[in-house]
Each structure stands twice: as structure tokens, then as C-alpha cells.
Amino acid sequence: VTCLIVGIISIILWWFVRDTKHLAQYALYIAIIADAVAAIPTVVFVWKTPDGDRPFAWALFAIGYGLVIFAIEEQTFANYILPIYMTVGPGLIAFLLIKHRLRNKTPVTEWIWKSANFDPNTPNAKCRVRGSFFVFKPNFELGVFVAIIISLC
């Protein structure tokens, strides 16, 4: 609820100051704070239940935003803060998940497409994650991974 309220305040603030460059950045800062507050339950979940999520997507997300830093043309704090935040946050989550998998000697293939309570051999396999059900297709995620790698080459 807190992050929703802060997010709405950020949108309202941005609406009123969107034409004033030096003031619009404050709406961005408030939105980042709202997102950080919303990320707390995810970090707690990953800390307590590291088998409930996979590090692969988080690591790709962090790497992607890390690369965005190199595309910034105007060197200002406001231009750097979001990519840095979006690199550090998912990077932290990926680190926690990878550390757990290394400690338990989990095969790398399971970092990408296996999760707790999931059997990929079950027809229409579903994986219970954080209280809701997601239809999970390992071949689809592997295809997305291959597409990303090919596009980077």
C-alpha cells in the first residue's frame, strides 16, 4: 500500500512538473523510492526461499540495465540513477539466488528453467511461486534466452 501511495504521488508530481526539467527529476526519485519499497518483499522472499525463484532472469535484467549506462549521452545524476538502481536491485537478487545454488551445487540448467515444486515432464506444468500460479514452458524461456544471445552477437 505504501509503495502504491508513493507511486501515485510520484505520478501526480511528474504531471505538474513534467515541462520543468530540473523539477521533473524529483518525480523520478520518488518513483525509485516507491519501487525500492515494493522490492523489499521480493528480497525477503528470495532470502527465505531461494528455491522459489531462478537467478537467470534477474541476472539478465541486471546486465541489460548495466549496459544501458553506456548509452547515456547527457551526464547527469538523474540520467544515471535509474539504470544504476535497476542494475543493483536485480543484481542483488540474482547474487542471493546464485549463492544459494552454488552452495547447494545445483546444476546450471536448473538455474534457468527449474524451480521449486516444478516438474517439467508434467503436461501443462504449473509452478507455484509466491502464492500464485504461472503457466511455465521451459522451451519458451530457453527460446527467449537463445534469441537474446543471438541479438547480442
Side-chain angles (χ1 to χ4, degrees), residues 75-117:
Q75 312 297 318
T76 65
F77 180 75
N79 286 345
Y80 279 100
I81 190 66
L82 183 64
I84 289 172
Y85 166 73
M86 296 301 261
T87 300
V88 172
L92 170 68
I93 293 169
F95 171 76
L96 294 172
L97 294 169
I98 289 169
K99 186 175 102 176
H100 171 74
R101 279 155 179 77
L102 289 174
R103 187 179 304 140
N104 293 325
K105 297 180 179 162
T106 305
V108 175
T109 56
E110 292 183 18
W111 295 17
I112 298 170
W113 61 292
K114 242 185 178 176
S115 184
N117 304 322

Side-chain angles (χ1 to χ4, degrees), residues 1-150:
V1 174
T2 303
C3 63
L4 176 65
I5 293 169
V6 174
I8 290 170
I9 291 169
S10 165
I11 292 169
I12 292 169
L13 177 63
W14 172 81
W15 180 260
F16 287 113
V17 298
R18 68 183 182 273
D19 295 327
T20 311
K21 186 177 181 181
H22 71 279
L23 292 177
Q25 65 186 341
Y26 294 106
L28 171 67
Y29 303 148
I30 292 171
I32 289 172
I33 290 168
D35 189 75
V37 170
I40 292 170
T42 301
V43 173
V44 170
F45 173 80
V46 166
W47 184 266
K48 290 181 178 179
T49 318
D51 286 325
D53 209 343
R54 299 172 311 274
F56 182 72
W58 290 105
L60 277 183
F61 190 77
I63 291 167
Y65 264 100
L67 292 173
V68 166
I69 293 170
F70 297 108
I72 296 173
E73 293 179 2
E74 188 179 341
Q75 312 297 318
T76 65
F77 180 75
N79 286 345
Y80 279 100
I81 190 66
L82 183 64
I84 289 172
Y85 166 73
M86 296 301 261
T87 300
V88 172
L92 170 68
I93 293 169
F95 171 76
L96 294 172
L97 294 169
I98 289 169
K99 186 175 102 176
H100 171 74
R101 279 155 179 77
L102 289 174
R103 187 179 304 140
N104 293 325
K105 297 180 179 162
T106 305
V108 175
T109 56
E110 292 183 18
W111 295 17
I112 298 170
W113 61 292
K114 242 185 178 176
S115 184
N117 304 322
F118 176 72
D119 179 10
N121 299 319
T122 305
N124 297 322
K126 292 188 180 197
C127 176
R128 185 170 174 89
V129 178
R130 283 179 246 147
S132 59
F133 286 93
F134 299 97
V135 175
F136 185 77
K137 301 291 183 194
N139 294 335
F140 173 76
E141 284 194 13
L142 192 57
V144 169
F145 169 67
V146 170
I148 291 170
I149 297 301
I150 290 170

